Amino acid sequence: MLPARFAPVLFSLILSGLMSCIVTCVATWKALSFSAGFGGAWMQAWMVSWPIAFAVAFTAAPMVRRLVAKLVKQPAGS
């Protein structure tokens, strides 16, 4: 188990990995269909996009949390 202080990094890593995997799959499928070379092209696109997605998710998370806090009704007594 990792120490709790790594939770924001781990969250960003897992979420960005999952999201970039799905998005690059859809984009690659739309561009190439399920033709020969689809898997390799998808993995290549994913490996390029995941670090970018991680950096964006990690740096944007605090701003997004603040925005969400402003957009949702706080429970009574908070």
Side-chain angles (χ1 to χ4, degrees), residues 10-61:
L10 187 58
F11 177 85
S12 295
L13 185 70
I14 293 169
L15 182 62
S16 65
L18 179 63
M19 292 295 296
S20 61
C21 182
I22 293 167
V23 170
T24 56
C25 178
V26 172
T28 305
W29 168 66
K30 291 293 290 175
L32 303 179
S33 247
F34 288 117
S35 60
F38 169 82
W42 173 26
M43 289 298 106
Q44 197 171 32
W46 185 32
M47 290 300 113
V48 169
S49 67
W50 190 358
I52 296 166
F54 170 71
V56 170
F58 186 70
T59 57

